[in-house]
């Protein structure tokens, strides 16, 4: 529900407004970076909006979202599963 408003159900985002998750370097890259983006948000300057921080979500929720995005659409991330303990460790 939170993600789909900007990134869309198809993961394509909104051109010139919100980043795509489908085919994203962040989603398909090192999972620690994606964990950091969800916890702390991200401002790239590429889009007029920035990714907000989602620290209010539980470790389990964040791990589930990241695991979902890394295995959905055309994404085939090498590190395709994120455990809640990894999110917890990144919070420290």
């Amino acid at each position: 529900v939170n993600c789909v408003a900007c990134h869309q159900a198809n993961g394509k985002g909104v051109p010139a407004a919100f980043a795509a998750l489908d085919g994203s370097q962040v989603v398909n890259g090192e999972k620690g970076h994606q964990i950091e983006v969800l916890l702390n948000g991200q401002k790239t300057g590429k889009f007029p909006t920035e990714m907000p921080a989602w620290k209010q979500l539980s470790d389990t929720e964040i791990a589930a979202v990241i695991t979902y995005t890394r295995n959905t659409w055309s994404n085939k991330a090498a590190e395709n599963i994120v455990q809640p303990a990894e999110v917890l460790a990144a919070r420290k």
Side-chain angles (χ1 to χ4, degrees), residues 15-29:
F18 301 106
L21 297 178
D22 184 18
S24 163
Q25 289 181 347
V26 172
V27 174
N28 286 293

Side-chain angles (χ1 to χ4, degrees), residues 24-64:
S24 163
Q25 289 181 347
V26 172
V27 174
N28 286 293
E30 195 270 317
K31 64 183 172 179
H33 177 65
Q34 190 177 7
I35 293 169
E36 290 296 323
V37 169
L38 262 78
L39 286 174
N40 302 312
Q42 184 176 41
K43 182 186 275 188
T44 64
K46 186 175 178 182
F47 297 99
T49 54
E50 64 183 67
M51 170 78 180
W54 290 99
K55 288 181 180 177
Q56 69 274 24
L57 297 179
S58 73
D59 298 335
T60 300
E61 290 169 323
I62 290 175

